[in-house]
Amino acid sequence: LLHLCLSYLFIYSTTRFSADGYYYSQWAKCTFSSDDLSDVEYIETYIFGKTKEVQFKSSWGIYVGYTDLGMEKAAYWNNISVVEIARADLGVCKEIIFERNYTAMSKKVEPTVKLRSLKHFVSTYSAMLICSAYNFYPKHINITWLRDGQRVTGGVTYTEEMADGDWYYQSHAYLEYDPKPWENISCLVEHASFKQPRTYQWDPSLPGFQKTRIAVGAAGLLLGTVTATAGLIFYLRHRRGESGGGECRTGLFK
């Protein structure tokens, strides 16, 4: 099973002949792009040398010739049982795909969802948020923007599910809006890998770089406090030790 350009290719059979420097081959394959196998297509191709001579597609239901000899063959095969056998091979395709690829077709991978703000953009709105879903399977996903629990319809843009080329997909939803105090902005994601839809809350309190600065500052303050406390304890113990030694020497002198 090969993943090629949003579709799947399953090689059903191949036949090759060569003689006197000429090369003849027959390719039978099944293609599909949906999980329910609703768009499975059986394709049978005959090639002489590097020229496609005859081809059958289940969506056509007949053989089509591409050369003079190929057109003669196609006309002949369409009038005998050969074309009926080719039409029946569509069912064989579905059986083979289902039996051999059931695990892959039933696989479900949860998306990784991230919310972020976009700083530089041209719009009549003063802010833009992006809700991104990465590395999910199967393909279909539904992303909805919510504002105070209500679905947002204005200023919303969605991308189609985009294939990463490794069985996984990604999708993005954009929200252009004017922020208001105390409002609740969230991203609702629905996917087959979830038992129920999940809501991801946007925290507009501080930009990411300011949060980082605060975290670093807090860590520095904590480290400074610990160091100062340790120094004070050491100083007090050292001073007490000197005082005790002085009293002892005074007593001995007396």
Side-chain angles (χ1 to χ4, degrees), residues 188-236:
L188 180 68
V189 179
E190 299 172 275
H191 188 253
S193 61
F194 294 158
K195 293 183 179 180
Q196 58 185 8
R198 295 184 184 179
T199 303
Y200 299 85
Q201 198 77 24
W202 167 247
D203 181 9
S205 56
L206 287 174
F209 72 94
Q210 291 189 13
K211 291 181 180 179
T212 303
R213 287 181 179 178
I214 291 176
V216 172
L221 179 61
L222 179 61
L223 179 61
T225 302
V226 172
T227 303
T229 303
L232 179 60
I233 293 174
F234 176 79
Y235 171 75
L236 293 176

Side-chain angles (χ1 to χ4, degrees), residues 6 24 57 62 68-70 81 99 113 116-117 131 157 167 201 233 235-236 253:
L6 301 180
Y24 186 82
K57 288 187 177 182
I62 60 172
D68 292 340
L69 181 59
S81 60
E99 290 176 0
V113 180
R116 66 185 189 276
S117 62
C131 181
T157 307
W167 286 81
Q201 198 77 24
I233 293 174
Y235 171 75
L236 293 176
F253 181 76

Side-chain angles (χ1 to χ4, degrees), residues 45-216:
T45 307
Y46 296 83
I47 300 173
F48 182 72
K50 295 183 179 180
T51 304
K52 182 165 61 175
E53 194 173 70
V54 185
Q55 188 173 61
F56 172 89
K57 288 187 177 182
S58 56
S59 58
W60 299 342
I62 60 172
Y63 284 95
V64 175
Y66 293 89
T67 64
D68 292 340
L69 181 59
M71 287 187 284
E72 291 181 9
K73 289 182 178 180
Y76 177 70
W77 291 345
N78 288 333
N79 290 321
I80 60 176
S81 60
V82 175
V83 71
E84 297 299 331
I85 296 174
R87 291 170 182 167
D89 281 336
L90 176 62
V92 177
C93 271
K94 292 182 178 180
E95 292 179 3
I96 294 176
I97 292 172
F98 183 80
E99 290 176 0
R100 298 190 180 184
N101 305 295
Y102 177 77
T103 302
M105 292 167 57
S106 60
K107 180 180 179 181
K108 297 178 181 178
V109 180
E110 293 186 359
T112 300
V113 180
K114 296 181 179 180
L115 272 72
R116 66 185 189 276
S117 62
L118 190 63
K119 296 180 181 179
H120 305 290
F121 62 94
V122 178
S123 174
T124 57
Y125 296 92
S126 59
M128 176 181 284
L129 298 178
I130 305 175
C131 181
S132 300
Y134 298 96
N135 301 324
F136 59 86
Y137 186 88
K139 177 181 179 180
H140 181 70
I141 194 170
N142 188 29
I143 302 176
T144 305
W145 282 106
L146 301 177
R147 197 169 189 175
D148 293 329
Q150 300 297 319
R151 181 176 179 178
V152 181
T153 56
V156 176
T157 307
Y158 300 95
T159 67
E160 295 182 354
E161 295 89 345
M162 297 176 287
D164 293 334
D166 55 359
W167 286 81
Y168 299 111
Y169 295 86
Q170 61 175 285
S171 184
H172 309 273
Y174 300 82
L175 172 63
E176 299 177 76
Y177 74 113
D178 294 317
K180 297 179 181 179
W182 313 112
E183 69 178 348
N184 187 342
I185 302 292
S186 57
C187 176
L188 180 68
V189 179
E190 299 172 275
H191 188 253
S193 61
F194 294 158
K195 293 183 179 180
Q196 58 185 8
R198 295 184 184 179
T199 303
Y200 299 85
Q201 198 77 24
W202 167 247
D203 181 9
S205 56
L206 287 174
F209 72 94
Q210 291 189 13
K211 291 181 180 179
T212 303
R213 287 181 179 178
I214 291 176
V216 172

Side-chain angles (χ1 to χ4, degrees), residues 5-34:
C5 301
L6 301 180
S7 65
Y8 302 97
L9 172 64
F10 181 81
I11 305 300
Y12 183 22
S13 65
T14 60
T15 305
R16 301 178 182 180
F17 304 96
S18 61
D20 299 328
Y22 293 98
Y23 185 84
Y24 186 82
S25 64
Q26 173 195 354
W27 291 79
K29 61 185 180 182
C30 311
T31 64
F32 66 101
S33 59
S34 63

